[in-house]
Structures are given as structure tokens and as C-alpha cells.
Amino acid sequence: MMRDALFGGVNAAVLTAMRDDLSVDLDRMARHCRWLLANGCNGLAVLGTTGEANSFGIGERLALLEGLVERGIPARTLLPGTGTTAITDTVLLTRQADELGCRGVLLLPPFYYKSPSDDGLFAYYSEVINRVGGDIRIYLYHFPAMSAVPIGLDLVARLLRAFPGKVKGVKDSSGDFENTKAYVQHFAREGFEVYCGDDAALHALLQEGGAGSISAAANVGSTLSALVYANWDRQAGVDAQITLSAVRKAVSSTALIPGLKALVARHTGDERWTNIRPPHLPLSPDSAGRLFRAFDACGLKLAAA
């Protein structure tokens, strides 16, 4: 396991709470953030894929981040997604995160134009980093199934040479553990932090020298992830990973974001948690019932909300 990683440990890819009119409900979201921090999370990756960031306008994203800090969520725990297709928007969001006191941001590659060259991606990241300035660290977000723009080893090596200490790590949501492991093997000695997006890979990644997880299932499984992390070199970690992997499989058995929102709605007793922006839709009662049965079969008991 990597020691002293900036976001080392368990980071939830936080769901975004919405009112019935689909505007952001900051009070409810802040309560969920406090629950996560009290139940195993070291950090909060807001405005990511699970948080439906690309369903929100830039003004909404700025207001969300500022609103969470105003409601007492420590900025140092926040790892907001600020990567967009437009350099100017990415810079605006990243500067705000820096000014609020966030220690890092998670950057998708520019994902509209397909098959960009490494030269083009390097130029994009370079423009963002040089324009932002400040002390905030950059974490790359490798999610080729969604972005269709992979972040390869050669590009990472080039960015680390150009921006030592600034480009700090990667979230690998590829689902390919060999790729995740390659990031560790090539760059961990340089202090490059590698996080898995797949909860089922957490224990194996820690064994390889990774830093932890940034995951959707942590919205409901953070206590298990924390047990794996704390016991990465003991049998208790292996045992916790078995249950954590079962939780991941259960929540992935249906549409992930609506499913997690349904689980949080059930846990909190607040059906407004099922509010979700199109094109996502809430789960049907039958789908929700199947999800609840699969989740309950894992044996995980959630702390009171």
C-alpha cells in the first residue's frame, strides 16, 4: 500500500441529491457527505460520473461546490471532478476548487472528439495546468468506456516529466486490473497515486502498492472499504474484500446510478433521493426490489443516516 497519499484510503464517488424539480438539493447532499465521512470515507469525489456531473451546467457545478463548503463539508476532503470538453470551463472549475481549499481535482480528458493524439491530450492538460496555477493537484480520470479517450502510460510519463508534483495520480475506472497495476508499476515510485474505481479490485491494488479507491459503491459500502484499507495486510482485509466485492456485484446488477439512489432512498427513508436527471431514469419497482434483495443478501448493515 502507498503510504502518505494525499487522498489515500476510501473516497466515495458521491451521488448528487436533487429536488423534485431536479435542481440540486445541497442540504440533503451535505448530510450524505457528513454520513460518508463518519462511516469510513477519507475523501469525497463530488461532481464525477456517479454524481451526474455532465448533466449539470457550469454554473450549477460552481454553486454545488461552493454550497457544500458553506455547509461545513471540509474542502480538504473534496476531490471534485472539473474536467470538461472546454479548456476555459475546466480552468474555471479548477480555479474555484483551488480557491475554496480543495487539495486536488479529478480531470476527465476532453471527451467529445474521438481518437485524439497524445500530443493533443498533452496540450490540453498543459493548457489547463498552466492557466490554473496555484497549488492544487491534478488527478487524471481514466474511464475509456465512457470517455472513449484512454489515458495511456506514455501520456502519463510525459505529464509527470513536464509537471512533477502537480500531476499527482489517476483514478482507473477501466475495469482492467492489469492496466491499474501497470500505473502502479511504472509510476508509484515517483509518488504517483493510483486509485481503483472498481471496489472489487481494492485489496489487490493495495497489495500492489496502490493508494486506495474512488468508487460509486462507497455510497453504501464505505465501511467495508475502510476495513479492507485498514487491514490490507491481514486476513481481516481479505474477509472484508469478499463482502465488498459482493456489494459491488449487487449494486452493479442494475443501472448503477439509479440503483445507488434507490438504496440511499431506502436507507434514509427519503424517496427524493430517487430524483435523477434524464436521460437516467429511476428504477422500476421490480428492478428496485431485485436490487434490494441482492444487496441485503450481502449481509451489510448500514449505520443510521
Side-chain angles (χ1 to χ4, degrees):
M1 180 177 69
M2 174 177 278
R3 304 286 184 182
D4 302 321
L6 203 58
F7 286 90
V10 180
N11 301 273
V14 182
L15 294 162
T16 300
M18 299 179 199
R19 301 183 183 91
D20 291 341
D21 65 359
L22 303 185
S23 62
V24 176
D25 189 329
L26 282 164
D27 291 333
R28 200 145 37 90
M29 188 174 179
R31 284 196 295 274
H32 183 51
C33 287
R34 284 190 285 270
W35 184 87
L36 290 168
L37 292 173
N39 287 277
C41 285
N42 306 94
L44 303 168
V46 297
L47 289 171
T49 303
T50 306
E52 302 171 70
N54 287 299
S55 296
F56 292 99
I58 301 303
E60 291 178 302
R61 299 189 214 188
L62 292 166
L64 185 153
L65 195 56
E66 183 177 0
L68 290 178
V69 174
E70 287 176 347
R71 285 159 177 77
I73 305 303
R76 69 183 309 276
T77 67
L78 296 172
L79 180 64
T82 62
T84 74
T85 55
I87 289 172
T88 49
D89 286 341
T90 301
V91 169
L92 179 64
L93 291 166
T94 305
R95 280 180 177 165
Q96 185 213 31
D98 190 26
E99 291 165 2
L100 288 172
C102 301
R103 297 177 296 165
V105 293
L106 192 61
L107 255 60
L108 279 168
F111 50 82
Y112 180 78
Y113 300 111
K114 300 306 181 264
S115 303
S117 66
D118 274 6
D119 286 345
L121 292 173
F122 178 81
Y124 172 88
Y125 283 118
S126 297
E127 283 290 336
V128 169
I129 292 167
N130 288 327
R131 293 187 191 196
V132 168
D135 295 325
I136 199 159
R137 301 299 190 268
I138 304 300
Y139 289 80
L140 307 172
Y141 189 2
H142 177 64
F143 198 0
M146 292 290 281
S147 70
V149 181
I151 300 173
L153 297 175
D154 290 343
L155 176 60
V156 174
R158 189 172 173 184
L159 288 167
L160 290 179
R161 287 194 302 270
F163 304 102
K166 187 71 171 178
V167 177
K168 191 64 176 170
V170 65
K171 176 187 177 181
D172 187 1
S173 291
S174 66
D176 178 0
F177 187 69
E178 290 303 311
N179 186 77
T180 311
K181 188 165 64 172
Y183 285 135
V184 177
Q185 292 172 340
H186 282 79
F187 308 119
R189 287 187 298 273
E190 301 176 50
F192 189 73
E193 303 170 14
V194 180
Y195 298 88
C196 59
D198 179 2
D199 308 80
L202 178 56
H203 187 265
L205 176 60
L206 296 173
Q207 294 288 308
E208 293 290 336
S213 60
I214 303 172
S215 72
N219 282 281
V220 292
S222 54
T223 55
L224 282 171
S225 299
L227 280 173
V228 174
Y229 184 78
N231 298 281
W232 69 277
D233 57 348
R234 292 186 285 273
Q235 184 61 40
V238 176
D239 296 339
Q241 180 63 67
I242 292 171
T243 307
L244 178 60
S245 296
V247 167
R248 177 71 186 200
K249 183 177 180 181
V251 301
S252 300
S253 65
T254 188
L256 183 63
I257 302 170
L260 287 168
K261 285 196 157 185
L263 285 166
V264 174
R266 184 180 69 154
H267 175 233
T268 60
D270 186 350
E271 280 301 309
R272 290 174 298 173
W273 265 107
T274 61
N275 292 337
I276 193 166
R277 284 197 178 183
H280 297 296
L281 293 172
L283 293 186
S284 69
D286 286 347
S287 294
R290 288 193 295 272
L291 170 62
F292 295 159
R293 289 189 293 273
F295 182 82
D296 293 343
C298 299
L300 175 62
K301 303 298 181 184
L302 300 182

